[in-house]
Amino acid sequence: MDRREKEALVASLRERFDEATSVVVTQQKGLSVAQSMELRRKARDAGATYKVAKNRLAKLALDGTKFQALSPLMTGPTALAASDDAVAAAKVCVEFAKKNEKLTIIGGSLNGELLDEDGVKALAALPSLDELRGNIVGLLQTPATNVAGVLQAPAGQLARVFGAYGATDEAA
């Protein structure tokens, strides 16, 4: 990798860190190419990115960003998962680490706040942004459904009363 390629990699990583809400630092010792590709695919499906980069280049990319506190974690064979959704990167990494002991979560950061391994696991346990939006829509629709049911009940009762009076008048 020549100097221009390294500069381009650092620039693309820095751009990704500027856009991201959360970053997770992992170590992958002995992860096969197929396993790494599977992890990247899962991250992409969740709206996150998973990138293996040289620690020196990653530290340069982290410098000056809100995730600068992650620099000391960059030792050994590390990889970075970043996402715009606060929990997507953490969810993907934690779920993959449960199934594969070759991936270890070192730490992470949420909007510049440094997280240890337990913090990343707690972040992964939270519902995603889409799940929260669905819950809010459900909560907003529930009262409207209840109001419609309450408003329809008296009209139905009146219709049954009029139907009963109509039936008694016809019988008489």
Side-chain angles (χ1 to χ4, degrees):
M1 187 181 265
D2 69 355
R3 185 178 180 94
R4 281 178 283 155
E5 291 173 330
K6 290 178 183 177
E7 288 173 353
L9 177 65
V10 169
S12 70
L13 282 173
R14 180 169 288 144
E15 182 181 328
R16 182 64 186 128
F17 294 146
D18 287 338
E19 296 171 354
T21 303
S22 67
V23 175
V24 177
V25 180
T26 63
Q27 278 193 347
Q28 50 177 26
K29 293 181 181 176
L31 206 62
S32 71
V33 174
Q35 292 168 331
S36 182
M37 293 300 288
E38 178 187 356
L39 179 55
R40 281 190 177 96
R41 183 184 49 76
K42 287 182 179 184
R44 188 174 44 252
D45 291 346
T49 58
Y50 185 78
K51 182 82 173 156
V52 177
K54 289 187 175 279
N55 291 335
R56 187 173 50 82
L57 298 177
K59 286 179 183 180
L60 287 172
L62 287 168
D63 192 34
T65 66
K66 59 186 169 188
F67 302 111
Q68 186 171 345
L70 293 174
S71 289
L73 300 178
M74 303 303 293
T75 58
T78 57
L80 299 163
S83 67
D84 299 336
D85 184 359
V87 298
K91 253 186 212 290
V92 169
C93 291
V94 168
E95 287 175 10
F96 194 85
K98 285 179 184 176
K99 298 174 188 171
N100 194 329
E101 68 277 352
K102 294 177 184 176
L103 182 74
T104 307
I105 296 171
I106 303 301
S109 180
L110 176 64
N111 285 327
E113 186 70 31
L114 192 62
L115 303 171
D116 60 356
E117 180 183 355
D118 293 332
V120 172
K121 289 180 179 177
L123 183 63
L126 294 174
S128 71
L129 189 58
D130 289 337
E131 291 172 11
L132 288 174
R133 286 179 180 151
N135 290 345
I136 290 172
V137 168
L139 288 173
L140 292 174
Q141 286 180 342
T142 300
T145 305
N146 290 344
V147 168
V150 167
L151 292 176
Q152 286 177 345
Q157 289 174 348
L158 281 175
R160 285 190 289 278
V161 168
F162 291 144
Y165 278 126
T168 55
D169 287 342
E170 289 176 6

